[in-house]
């Protein structure tokens, strides 16, 4: 098949895909390994138009070629720790699009020293930072997206098993993810009547920039491979496919859920 023929087929797939005519904003693409990028690929393939934000100028040259691959016409810098920057992004977005159908929040941060050793040593500032960036930002972006979700919508965030059980070194991030999962329920309860659904994907460990900041991350990968019912680690694409399910009409009756995409690891008692 020629390149031109492939392009026509891709175009047709997008026109008839389950996300055709839908628009969404994605927070948290740092590079091609990012879980957010794997979500973006599946949503794009099924026809969605995508907007992106990135945190700092250093990331611009990494995200631009990716955004081009999925024909995005909206890529803005936004530190989610700053309300004024979030307001600016949504102000710009509402001038470009009159509606929004989904939002993917794939953002988390904690100081490196808080992702090793013992949780008991977490400082007030480290706690504040981790909870603010990794939890509050979901509420902040959902609040701004709501006026654009006129016909309902789907909000998706990313969490991890360390919210439910103690995982060595995950420490303050586990506490932040527990708060995030609770936020998912409270947001889902607030927004259900508006037909805005809010769900989380609890992904098994995947080698990304953020994950490599957790002490002993490689050991986590080895352990999951040995112990998980499926005897392997999850693929980033499997997280992307679940995001597609949650963003699409396939999950129209699902809200306030945490869906584990972890090859079954979280069902184990021992
Ligand atoms: P990633 O590629 O490093 O993505 C994390 C993103 O968060 C980056 O784009 C990062 O930007 C962004 N971010 C951090 N602070 C920010 C801020 N103040 N404002 C805006 N953006 C900010 O790693 P990832 O693994 O795909 O992480 C995505 C989500 O999946 C996170 O919530 C993570 O906890 C979750 N998750 C990951 C795994 C895993 O094993 N990888 C498992 C379960 C859940 P910068 O690079 O500029 O900081």
């Amino acid at each position: 098949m020629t390149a031109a023929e492939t392009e026509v087929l891709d175009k047709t797939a997008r026109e008839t895909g389950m996300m055709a005519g839908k628009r969404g904003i994605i927070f948290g693409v740092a590079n091609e390994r990012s879980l957010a990028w794997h979500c973006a690929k599946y949503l794009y393939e099924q026809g969605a138009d995508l907007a992106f934000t990135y945190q700092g100028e250093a990331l611009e040259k990494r995200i631009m070629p990716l955004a081009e691959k999925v024909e995005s016409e909206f890529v803005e810098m936004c530190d989610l720790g700053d309300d004024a920057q979030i307001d600016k992004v949504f102000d710009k977005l509402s001038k470009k699009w009159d509606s929004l159908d989904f939002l993917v929040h794939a953002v988390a941060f904690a100081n490196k020293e808080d992702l090793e050793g013992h949780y008991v040593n977490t400082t007030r500032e480290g706690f504040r930072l981790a909870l603010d960036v990794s939890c509050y930002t979901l509420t902040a972006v959902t609040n701004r997206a709501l006026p654009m979700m006129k016909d309902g919508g789907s909000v998706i965030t990313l969490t991890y098993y360390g919210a439910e059980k103690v995982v060595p070194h995950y420490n303050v991030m586990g506490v932040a993810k527990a708060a995030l999962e609770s936020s998912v329920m409270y947001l889902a309860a607030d927004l259900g009547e508006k037909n805005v659904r809010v769900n989380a994907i609890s992904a098994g460990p995947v080698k990304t920039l953020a994950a490599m900041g957790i002490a002993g991350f490689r050991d986590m990968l080895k352990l999951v491979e040995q112990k998980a019912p499926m005897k392997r680690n999850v693929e980033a694409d499997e997280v992307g496919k679940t995001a597609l399910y949650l963003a699409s009409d396939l999950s129209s009756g699902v809200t306030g859920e945490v869906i584990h995409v972890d090859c079954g690891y979280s069902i184990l008692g021992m």
Side-chain angles (χ1 to χ4, degrees):
M1 197 180 301
T2 66
E5 280 168 338
T6 311
E7 201 172 298
V8 171
L9 272 184
D10 287 352
K11 248 205 159 93
T12 314
R14 266 178 60 71
E15 277 162 13
T16 56
M18 69 175 97
M19 298 304 290
K22 304 264 188 208
R23 295 159 168 166
I25 184 160
I26 301 194
F27 300 94
V29 175
N31 56 37
E32 68 287 344
R33 287 192 168 187
S34 296
L35 295 182
W37 173 243
H38 292 269
C39 299
K41 281 190 308 182
Y42 281 94
L43 291 159
Y44 167 78
E45 272 172 28
Q46 290 296 321
D49 289 333
L50 303 175
F52 294 93
T53 71
Y54 59 95
Q55 191 193 178
E57 267 164 31
L59 278 188
E60 189 177 353
K61 61 175 187 303
R62 285 216 216 117
I63 191 170
M64 285 304 182
L66 295 176
E68 262 172 44
K69 274 191 194 171
V70 293
E71 300 178 284
S72 174
E73 292 174 1
F74 187 98
V75 186
E76 292 290 325
M77 191 164 91
C78 182
D79 179 347
L80 294 185
D82 180 354
D83 281 336
Q85 293 190 35
I86 303 175
D87 287 335
K88 208 168 143 193
V89 161
F90 277 96
D91 191 45
K92 253 189 158 166
L93 191 65
S94 62
K95 285 182 178 125
K96 183 166 179 59
W97 289 343
D98 56 6
S99 63
L100 191 69
D101 301 288
F102 63 90
L103 177 165
V104 177
H105 170 273
V107 165
F109 184 79
N111 286 327
K112 198 165 168 40
E113 62 267 27
D114 291 327
L115 296 172
E116 56 196 18
H118 294 287
Y119 171 68
V120 70
N121 297 324
T122 309
T123 60
R124 188 181 295 268
E125 180 48 24
F127 187 94
R128 191 203 60 73
L129 182 66
L131 270 283
D132 183 16
V133 176
S134 315
C135 175
Y136 179 69
T137 55
L138 174 69
T139 304
V141 293
T142 303
N143 175 278
R144 272 52 166 212
L146 209 52
M148 292 185 73
M149 291 185 163
K150 295 167 195 154
D151 302 320
S154 173
V155 173
I156 300 160
T157 189
L158 271 298
T159 185
Y160 175 60
Y161 183 58
E164 301 164 60
K165 299 284 176 194
V166 173
V167 170
H169 311 298
Y170 203 59
N171 298 350
V172 71
M173 191 57 86
V175 177
K177 292 298 192 191
L180 180 74
E181 292 183 13
S182 185
S183 279
V184 165
M185 290 194 294
Y186 278 89
L187 290 169
D190 278 356
L191 310 183
E193 269 184 292
K194 296 183 189 331
N195 196 29
V196 173
R197 300 180 294 105
V198 186
N199 293 287
I201 300 171
S202 185
V206 177
K207 210 166 141 191
T208 62
L209 215 56
M212 294 309 281
I214 304 163
F217 182 74
R218 286 196 171 83
D219 296 335
M220 280 163 80
L221 290 174
K222 274 190 216 143
L223 190 81
V224 170
E225 206 173 297
Q226 284 163 11
K227 290 203 159 182
M230 295 174 79
K231 297 285 175 264
R232 65 172 176 87
N233 278 287
V234 75
E235 302 281 342
D237 274 346
E238 293 172 318
V239 175
K241 285 189 262 185
T242 306
L244 174 61
Y245 159 72
L246 285 175
S248 74
D249 197 48
L250 289 177
S251 60
S252 57
V254 180
T255 195
E257 279 291 336
V258 176
I259 300 182
H260 293 87
V261 182
D262 64 351
C263 296
Y265 186 84
S266 59
I267 66 168
L268 298 175
M270 278 182 77

